[in-house]
Amino acid sequence: MEIQSTSRLQRNARQVRMDESASAQTAAKSNFQKKKEDCIALSKQVLTMLEEQSRRTREEQERKKMEAQKEGGSSELDALSEKLKKMAKCQRIAARIQAGDKVPPEDERYLMDHDAQSYQMALALRQPKRNPKKWDTLLEKEDYENGSTESIESADSADDGSDAPEASGTAEC
């Protein structure tokens, strides 16, 4: 049998009382805070009206969001389809070069501008032919308007007078 000291029992009793008083104080505070909060009482008619109004605004927001997605989706779709068309043209041109056929210079320029890596691979893997087929251009007017061949034309016009030496400040006699 153990003998417990009375001071220890008294200390434990004080601790229990302090814990009980602390919990009572927090309960009193929460009741006081509940009393300070605002309360609103709504009739069922007002409540249904507010729910209907919030439902309508939610539907309107969803409708606007869907319209925005449709508009944004179509522009993305157009951009992706254009990119796909360019890739298909580049693949055809590269296949023709790789087969050893003759391709118009504007097609080669288009391939260089839009897919330089495919152009390099096509040249590296080119298989020479005795009688290469001469292909017409794959490019359409839209491709010409986009500036893919304008750089060739401007380079050709720049070469016209570029072979002549430039005039310097001193004249040779």
Side-chain angles (χ1 to χ4, degrees), residues 79-94:
L80 288 174
S81 65
E82 280 295 317
K83 190 173 183 178
L84 185 64
K85 286 179 185 178
K86 285 181 183 179
M87 288 175 58
K89 286 179 187 178
C90 289
Q91 285 178 343
R92 284 187 189 154
I93 295 168

Side-chain angles (χ1 to χ4, degrees), residues 141-160:
K141 290 181 181 180
E142 298 165 358
D143 298 325
Y144 289 116
E145 292 170 2
N146 289 338
S148 62
T149 58
E150 291 177 4
S151 58
I152 295 174
E153 294 169 0
S154 63
D156 290 342
S157 63
D159 287 341
D160 293 340

Side-chain angles (χ1 to χ4, degrees), residues 4-24:
Q4 293 183 359
S5 68
T6 56
S7 62
R8 186 181 215 184
L9 291 174
Q10 290 174 353
R11 187 177 54 218
N12 288 342
R14 272 186 259 143
Q15 184 68 30
V16 169
R17 276 187 252 132
M18 287 177 24
D19 290 341
E20 289 174 357
S21 65
S23 64

